[in-house]
Amino acid sequence: LDPGRRKSRWIQRDSGGESASRDPNRKAGIKNMINSTLCYVTRGNDVLMLHRVKKKNDINKDKWIGIGGKFEDKETPEECNRREVFEETGLHYEVDRLAFIHENFFTSDNGENGTDLPFHEVAFYYLMKPKGFKSEITVESYSSGNVAEHMEWLPIDKYSTYKAYPEFFADKLKNIPDYPQHIITYEK
């Protein structure tokens, strides 16, 4: 993390035991927190991506996204990442290293009566390496609604020509830093 960004964002307790919020989410009215992981499995100059085309009411519909998903109860980011990679590819990959921590603030029409709800997603982006010699995908991924998703190796140098998420990866995948970077985005 960038040392200049290390400011307290959490709820602190005063001497009376009451919460004194320093959490920007509370001030902004954000009550919907998502913790997730995404991983980037590369093969030469290609990156493995999922094409989300079939799931209805999906914020990522028609986008190419990395492999990953939401944390299960009491799961660490690394455990979540390994589980998601196996579930979506049928392959066992090892975590190479953490590359990015991405905080994304966005709204989605998941509210009652079609209202937009504010979300704050914290995603841990990992680089992965294969375990053993097998490198071919053996299963198709299925979303939470049991809808098939298509996987494909996309050329990293053409990432920006695809409707891909996150957009900042068009540049970041070409030159991944040696240390984790903290990235904050605000979607409309």
Side-chain angles (χ1 to χ4, degrees):
L1 293 176
D2 176 6
R5 293 190 182 264
R6 291 187 184 179
K7 296 180 181 175
S8 176
R9 294 178 159 208
W10 309 108
I11 297 174
Q12 296 183 344
R13 303 261 179 213
D14 65 17
S15 59
E18 296 296 319
S19 294
S21 177
R22 295 181 72 192
D23 182 355
N25 291 335
R26 179 175 272 178
K27 291 178 186 175
I30 298 172
K31 296 177 183 161
N32 304 296
M33 185 76 176
I34 301 170
N35 290 315
S36 65
T37 63
L38 283 177
C39 78
Y40 287 87
V41 177
T42 58
R43 180 182 71 183
N45 294 319
D46 297 332
V47 62
L48 186 61
M49 302 289 282
L50 295 171
H51 196 200
R52 300 277 291 260
V53 294
K54 296 180 182 177
K55 190 175 174 186
K56 293 181 181 180
N57 301 323
D58 183 1
I59 194 168
N60 290 314
K61 185 171 177 18
D62 297 325
K63 292 181 184 175
W64 290 91
I65 61 171
I67 298 164
K70 296 175 189 169
F71 288 21
E72 290 184 353
D73 190 36
K74 298 181 182 175
E75 193 172 44
T76 68
E78 291 86 1
E79 290 167 340
C80 176
N81 208 46
R82 281 191 293 272
R83 176 185 52 77
E84 287 285 347
V85 169
F86 181 72
E87 286 177 3
E88 294 180 5
T89 68
L91 301 175
H92 292 283
Y93 276 78
E94 292 179 15
V95 172
D96 183 12
R97 65 184 175 85
L98 178 64
F100 303 96
I101 299 170
H102 178 210
E103 291 188 70
N104 187 23
F105 295 87
F106 64 95
T107 58
S108 180
D109 62 356
N110 290 332
E112 294 178 20
N113 303 321
T115 58
D116 285 346
L117 293 176
F119 284 87
H120 177 193
E121 178 181 27
V122 178
F124 298 85
Y125 291 70
Y126 289 91
L127 300 176
M128 303 295 284
K129 58 185 176 185
K131 214 174 173 178
F133 299 103
K134 190 176 181 183
S135 64
E136 291 303 314
I137 301 167
T138 58
V139 297
E140 285 288 317
S141 172
Y142 290 87
S143 69
S144 58
N146 203 30
V147 176
E149 299 168 319
H150 173 71
M151 275 187 257
E152 195 171 314
W153 293 99
L154 302 182
I156 291 171
D157 62 344
K158 295 187 178 177
Y159 186 94
S160 63
T161 66
Y162 293 90
K163 185 177 177 183
Y165 176 84
E167 291 178 14
F168 66 80
F169 259 58
D171 293 324
K172 297 291 184 186
L173 280 174
K174 293 176 187 173
N175 189 20
I176 297 174
D178 294 333
Y179 55 89
Q181 285 188 341
H182 183 201
I183 298 168
I184 300 174
T185 57
Y186 299 87
E187 292 185 25
K188 296 177 184 176

